[in-house]
Amino acid sequence: MSRPPGAAVSLAEAPPAQSPPTPPAAQRVQPLRRPGRWIATAVVLVLVAQIAHGLATNPFYQWDRFRYWFLRPTVLDGLLVTLEVAALSAVAGLLGGVLLALARQSGSPVLRAAAWTYTWLFRSVPLIVVLIFLYNFSALYKTLSLGIPFGPAFVTFDESRLATDMTVAVIGLSLNEAAYAAEVVRGGLLSVDQGQHEAAAALGLPKGYQFTRIVLPQALRSIVPNYVNQLIGLVKSTSLVFYVSLLDLFGSVQTMGSTYPGDIVPLLLVATVWYLILTSAVSVVQYYVERHFARGATRALPPTPLQKARAALTGFRARLRKEAAV
């Protein structure tokens, strides 16, 4: 029966309210399949397993002799010489590189030309040639003197007594290292935005303060990774000092290999492992130095390996508790 417009309708006669449509079941997002990644991972794992199996089972490596030679006094003495030469050359080379980099940016054309010539020369000549030339330097100049240029000498030195094997090695490596460090430092200084220099100058800061407190801290973020690469190369380059009669780690291994020809392979493995340890230690120091100079340049400092391990362990424990609760 029809009702007139505007007539009231009781609740009993009202049509039933329609329930909202039921949403479809939540669908799980499937990750993108990457078969190439899994294949590459499997290939790498197989290769690593084969290499490890070959190292462990091949009798040619003579791991018993490796253990015998690894901590022998002769090897450790050579290791100390390597550390001493590398440390002295790194410090002297870095100081020389900073001076050369500043000279390259100097307003004096003579200083710029001299720094460029030095860098060009020592980057062009092989390090072994520099060491051998310095080792035979006494044949060219038997005495060294201090006095008035082109005039009388006040103090005279016997070059053969001053140029010991250690001195020749450190000077040769330092001269070579300074040429490469100069380009690393110069590149880091050029990476600092010009506005930083202008802002420091506008504040009326002295030139030395501008360099040490504003320019250099920013440049170190670029200098540290590149110079550490040079430092690792320097550690390995110390093996060349054997050719100037200095028994470093490689020289000690070579000498023992000549005396015990049956142990050449384990002795080379000993040197390899020690070089790996040294370069790994330098890499660890590099990580923390880079992390230190990253303060203020990133929103949050990257976690250390120990912090990463703790976070992974905490996440693993949380997953175990969640599964146990289910």
Side-chain angles (χ1 to χ4, degrees), residues 51-68:
I51 293 173
H53 180 266
L55 289 174
T57 59
N58 193 337
F60 186 72
Y61 293 112
Q62 306 178 54
W63 292 110
D64 56 334
R65 301 299 297 170
F66 170 86
R67 290 189 295 270
Y68 172 80

Side-chain angles (χ1 to χ4, degrees), residues 186-197 214-220 222:
R186 188 173 70 91
L189 295 177
L190 292 177
S191 68
V192 179
D193 188 78
Q194 188 63 30
Q196 299 292 320
H197 297 269
I214 296 177
V215 177
L216 185 59
Q218 298 181 63
L220 283 174
S222 175

